Amino acid sequence: GWVSRFEKLFAEHVGARYAIAMTNGTVTLEVALRALGISPGDEVIVPPLTMAATSMAVISAKGLPAYRDVNPQTWLLRPASLVPNQFHVGVDLYGLQAPYWDQNTVVDAAQTLRHHAATSPFTSYSFQRSKILNTGEGGMLVTNVESLATLARSIASLGYDMGHNARIDIRKLKSPDAIRHVRLGLNARMNDLTAQRGVELMQSVEYLKDIRQQCAQTYQRVIQQFPHLVTPQSIPDGWVHDYWAYAILVAPGIDVAMLVASIEGHGGEIPYGAWRLTFDEPAFRGVGSGYGNCPVAREL
């Protein structure tokens, strides 16, 4: 029962009706896209400036990533980049929660513990060991729509037929003449040991978020003294940042190695370089579209 308990606690925390626990935060995105009916070859809008798992999920769901540019201050997908009636994966990059997602948006909240947006069909979370809620590995997909929850759990559970409240009916499943697999699915269910760790962490989730805010405030106080050396990720009025990372843009000419040594020498975590743009990674060359249409992401 640990998985069910974790799902219930997490759904309550993010304000969702249904939560489906899975093995990681990449497969949650794939399951979401499959549940929404992505067909082979369908383009899904994604940002190029994020961890490549976002594009991997699109490709695993038989879609094609369509790369669109980002905002020069927030570094997130621009609303102008989105196309009506086309699915897109909106990434809360470094923990900055974007407010403009709609009914065609799967929210990739791997780096936040944001509230589920009622306008979006799915929000996907990650519990990989670097994340705010660290169970070692794992992910959660949430939705407010029962039919989507039922379908997503079926896809993540070997395509099993689902009963009431998006759950497997064990009595029905044990019947000798049971029809088990009603669709092609994945074996992506979270195990009880991981879920038990998740339940334990939910008791201190507010502290886990608060301590990151405190760290961010410390960095902010220091950075304000050196406005010409580094520029932090911009947070527009009314937006929320969970600070999975305190992200900065280093000015040209700065000795990055010296900056890294200084931060580490004063007790900070070793800085983590930004991901290479996804379409520049060897595995993604020639896959999808939009390679030359992202000048802001390229400059960043």
Side-chain angles (χ1 to χ4, degrees):
W2 285 108
V3 173
S4 296
R5 290 174 63 184
F6 187 24
E7 289 174 340
K8 183 176 185 296
L9 288 171
F10 194 83
E12 291 174 351
H13 181 74
V14 301
R17 290 183 62 194
Y18 304 96
I20 305 100
M22 300 186 204
T23 52
N24 58 64
T26 303
V27 74
T28 49
L29 290 174
E30 178 186 350
V31 169
L33 291 168
R34 289 180 58 172
L36 290 172
I38 297 297
S39 299
D42 282 353
E43 286 197 334
V44 179
I45 294 173
V46 295
L49 183 64
T50 187
M51 206 276 181
T54 304
S55 292
M56 290 180 181
V58 172
I59 295 168
S60 294
K62 302 297 190 294
L64 291 174
Y67 297 105
R68 297 294 182 267
D69 212 353
V70 298
N71 179 282
Q73 280 77 45
T74 65
W75 314 343
L76 276 61
L77 271 177
R78 299 175 300 178
S81 298
L82 308 182
V83 178
N85 302 318
Q86 183 171 345
F87 286 114
H88 38 276
V89 179
V91 179
D92 290 335
L93 188 67
Y94 301 129
L96 180 59
Q97 301 177 18
Y100 51 74
W101 309 129
D102 59 22
Q103 61 183 354
N104 294 315
T105 304
V106 174
V107 180
D108 183 350
Q111 298 163 16
T112 81
L113 291 177
R114 68 174 298 154
H115 201 79
H116 171 59
T119 53
S120 300
F122 287 111
T123 302
S124 167
Y125 304 85
S126 172
F127 310 130
Q128 183 263 351
R129 68 185 183 91
S130 75
K131 299 303 190 296
I132 300 172
L133 198 70
N134 161 25
T135 63
E137 192 50 275
M140 193 77 76
L141 189 64
V142 307
T143 182
N144 285 343
V145 182
E146 183 176 4
S147 59
L148 288 179
T150 302
L151 181 55
R153 191 179 296 279
S154 175
I155 293 170
S157 304
L158 299 168
Y160 282 140
D161 188 16
M162 291 291 152
H164 182 61
N165 288 330
R167 297 287 178 184
I168 296 174
D169 186 337
I170 298 299
R171 295 183 65 87
K172 180 179 177 181
L173 192 66
K174 289 183 176 181
S175 171
D177 58 351
I179 296 176
R180 294 175 173 82
H181 307 282
V182 296
R183 59 182 51 85
L184 294 176
L186 307 170
N187 189 3
R189 293 168 292 183
M190 181 179 285
N191 65 76
D192 274 321
L193 288 176
T194 300
Q196 180 178 1
R197 178 61 176 157
V199 169
E200 293 167 353
L201 288 172
M202 289 303 297
Q203 311 311 311
S204 57
V205 66
E206 295 300 336
Y207 167 78
L208 295 174
K209 294 193 294 184
D210 183 62
I211 197 67
R212 288 177 178 267
Q213 296 293 332
Q214 294 179 39
C215 290
Q217 292 170 15
T218 301
Y219 277 119
Q220 185 64 39
R221 286 195 298 270
V222 175
I223 285 172
Q224 286 175 345
Q225 303 175 52
F226 306 98
H228 303 298
L229 300 184
V230 294
T231 304
Q233 183 181 22
S234 177
I235 308 174
D237 291 342
W239 289 38
V240 176
H241 207 308
D242 276 356
Y243 292 109
W244 174 69
Y246 191 91
I248 58 173
L249 189 65
V250 181
I254 298 299
D255 187 332
V256 175
M258 184 179 295
L259 178 66
V260 169
S262 178
I263 293 173
E264 185 182 8
H266 287 83
E269 186 177 357
I270 300 174
Y272 197 119
W275 298 283
R276 184 186 300 273
L277 297 185
T278 302
F279 50 56
D280 283 341
E281 293 285 2
F284 294 88
R285 288 174 185 163
V287 178
S289 63
Y291 178 90
N293 299 323
C294 303
V296 174
R298 172 74 68 201
E299 184 178 1
L300 288 168

